[in-house]
Amino acid sequence: MTDERTANDQSPWMPFENRRRARDEKREAVLRMAVQVFLEQGYHRATLNEVAERLNITKPALYNYFRSKDEILFECWALGQEQVDDLIAVINRSRQSGLGKLRALVHAYAETMATDFGASLVRFDPRDLKPHNAEKVRAAKRGIDLTFRRYIAEGIADGSIKPCDPKLAAFAIAGSLNWIGHWYQRGGSLTPDAIADEFAIRLTDGLARRSVKKASAEAAPAPRTRKPTKGENR
Amino acid sequence: MTDERTANDQSPWMPFENRRRARDEKREAVLRMAVQVFLEQGYHRATLNEVAERLNITKPALYNYFRSKDEILFECWALGQEQVDDLIAVINRSRQSGLGKLRALVHAYAETMATDFGASLVRFDPRDLKPHNAEKVRAAKRGIDLTFRRYIAEGIADGSIKPCDPKLAAFAIAGSLNWIGHWYQRGGSLTPDAIADEFAIRLTDGLARRSVKKASAEAAPAPRTRKPTKGENR
DNA sequence: ACTTTTTGTTACCCGTGAGTAATATATGGG
DNA sequence: CCCATATATTACTCACGGGTAACAAAAAGT
């Protein structure tokens, strides 16, 4: 009989193996496992005991790296937020029409929603955080919303998007995207990339001056934006 | 000094007044207060003590009407679901194009999302329910999703909607609508009706064969569906 | 008026899981 | 080799809140 729950691939605490790793790597390992458990069971039903067990350690060991459960929750959220911030930064730096930026944002954001840390942005409840951190979350959400609105407004200004209320349009688009975090799960028939492609078109087609079908081969040939894993400035 | 927390308008248990009301009315009063508290604080942070207090009764009294906290949660959900079932039934009965039905659904569903019981459909976590009830929720959600897809498929068949993948289109639209339950709150600048109007257009315009702008005065003059409260046929 | 039933209260139980204290064991430097 | 520090463990505390038991007081039936 194989010993249960022994030696999870992901854990750096392989029972009697190389336990020497940088502190930050372990912290991150905790977060990766925590976000998984939190999403799987919901924050309140999830216990730190289980998070620890899955990492082959015990609960108090977690307190070497984090002060409280809600701090872990916050840091999970923060990692997801960081991804979004990065992706927005890239798009901001790019030179395209408002519509182009909007499409790029939709695509990248949709992909993020299909990751654990991305989903945590919309599936975790800020009310579980200390007021201090809840405020940061609130501000960040506001920032994302404003980004959507800005791209839309830019698009209206430069003529790539037909006039509409940026606020409601942003709500509609962001809502659609955020919801991905609630229904997507690995192993389904849709791949994140396929979802992102479809949404990038469907969600913006109603706004575009020229339908995407007619304007197939456009001037700007790169509507999608890849993560800046490497410092690629073309 | 006015006595604190005395005589909430909504409560049928006015401290020393008419305590005689039908059992079902009281059950419903509990649910109305519960859904409010659950939404306000989140199911896990909310306590039955507080729900009871706000009704001028004590926690054990609730157990005259419900067996457990999660049963209360479920019944809140069920009331919202009932609204949706009704509204779908009305639209099903109507004779319009697929696009017309879809627009009617979007409008009515959006309005529902702006109510407490409506929001509970998307803000409560089925995992808090007994498996028995969680299964009912799962089935109901599936039903709603299929309704969206059916209207879209109908629309494609009758030519009112341009060809697309009904599954993804339904996800996109429903996501947008469901998200309303997360951001809408009474007292904002948007009224539920205004939101519903805007969404009914914005979410379907990308799908329609003819943009709503061009096809303003159409054959079917009633794109919105009112609750059958009054028989108002303009 | 009396009993019975329904509905409410006060006082309690008790499982759970976050967080802590005391202690042990690696790890690494001198 | 020994001490200092970081990291982990075992064994505990303790607040919280769902749920129950025992009892009280209305309502309602007869």
Side-chain angles (χ1 to χ4, degrees), chain B residues 173-211:
Chain B
I173 293 176
S176 228
L177 291 170
N178 287 333
W179 201 246
I180 295 174
H182 281 85
W183 57 261
Y184 175 78
Q185 27 199 3
R186 281 198 273 282
S189 54
L190 288 320
T191 94
D193 194 65
I195 294 167
D197 281 344
E198 181 73 12
F199 273 52
I201 295 172
R202 166 122 308 116
L203 295 181
T204 59
D205 210 27
L207 295 178
R209 253 191 202 288
R210 305 166 64 186
S211 160

Side-chain angles (χ1 to χ4, degrees), chain A residues 179, chain B residues 35-36 38-40 73 76-81 83-84 109-125 141 177-186:
Chain A
W179 200 247
Chain B
V35 73
Q36 204 171 301
F38 289 171
L39 287 175
E40 188 179 310
L73 186 72
C76 289
W77 172 87
L79 282 186
Q81 182 61 36
Q83 283 184 36
V84 172
Y109 194 88
E111 277 185 321
T112 299
M113 279 301 124
T115 69
D116 280 352
F117 289 114
S120 78
L121 294 180
V122 296
R123 295 197 25 204
F124 291 167
D125 189 337
K141 280 187 194 301
L177 291 170
N178 287 333
W179 201 246
I180 295 174
H182 281 85
W183 57 261
Y184 175 78
Q185 27 199 3
R186 281 198 273 282

Side-chain angles (χ1 to χ4, degrees), chain A residues 3 6-7 11-20 55-56:
Chain A
D3 203 0
T6 305
S11 168
W13 281 276
M14 304 301 184
F16 279 92
E17 281 181 85
N18 59 342
R19 296 189 165 191
R20 61 213 67 180
L55 289 164
N56 300 113

Side-chain angles (χ1 to χ4, degrees), chain B residues 11 66 96 149 153 172 211 213 217 222:
Chain B
S11 170
F66 303 94
Q96 19 178 358
R149 294 192 203 182
S211 160
K213 271 192 178 153

Side-chain angles (χ1 to χ4, degrees), chain A residues 39-40 45 127-128 172 176, chain B residues 39-40 45 127-128 172 176:
Chain A
L39 288 175
E40 187 178 312
R45 276 173 303 279
R127 292 171 298 188
D128 288 321
S176 227
Chain B
L39 287 175
E40 188 179 310
R45 277 172 302 279
R127 291 171 297 189
D128 287 322
S176 228

Side-chain angles (χ1 to χ4, degrees), chain A residues 198 202 213, chain B residues 152 156 161-170 207:
Chain A
E198 181 73 13
R202 165 123 309 116
K213 272 195 178 149
Chain B
I152 293 171
I156 295 173
I161 291 177
K162 53 185 176 189
C164 64
D165 177 7
K167 180 175 170 181
L168 273 171
L207 295 178

Side-chain angles (χ1 to χ4, degrees), chain B residues 12-147:
Chain B
W13 283 274
M14 305 302 185
F16 280 91
E17 280 180 86
N18 62 339
R19 295 190 167 191
R20 62 210 68 183
R21 292 225 190 257
R23 186 182 170 83
D24 283 350
E25 269 185 62
K26 292 191 189 167
R27 258 183 81 95
E28 243 193 74
V30 171
L31 293 178
R32 272 197 307 275
M33 189 57 80
V35 73
Q36 204 171 301
V37 176
F38 289 171
L39 287 175
E40 188 179 310
Q41 319 195 349
Y43 177 70
H44 288 97
R45 277 172 302 279
T47 71
L48 292 188
N49 255 319
E50 171 144 8
V51 173
E53 258 178 46
R54 291 203 200 177
L55 289 164
N56 300 115
I57 56 175
T58 58
K59 178 179 60 173
L62 296 175
Y63 285 83
N64 278 320
Y65 304 99
F66 303 94
R67 269 204 275 275
S68 61
K69 191 186 183 188
D70 69 270
E71 183 179 312
I72 297 179
L73 186 72
F74 175 74
E75 303 244 0
C76 289
W77 172 87
L79 282 186
Q81 182 61 36
E82 209 176 294
Q83 283 184 36
V84 172
D85 286 340
D86 289 352
L87 120 211
I88 288 177
V90 170
I91 299 174
N92 276 338
R93 242 178 279 126
S94 75
R95 290 247 167 251
Q96 19 178 358
S97 65
L99 180 61
K101 287 185 184 172
L102 182 61
R103 286 215 173 106
L105 178 58
V106 169
H107 195 281
Y109 194 88
E111 277 185 321
T112 299
M113 279 301 124
T115 69
D116 280 352
F117 289 114
S120 78
L121 294 180
V122 296
R123 295 197 25 204
F124 291 167
D125 189 337
R127 291 171 297 189
D128 287 322
L129 302 173
K130 298 218 183 6
H132 169 242
N133 286 331
E135 180 50 34
K136 287 188 194 169
V137 172
R138 223 190 50 78
K141 280 187 194 301
R142 176 91 183 138
I144 295 177
D145 182 41
L146 289 180
T147 301

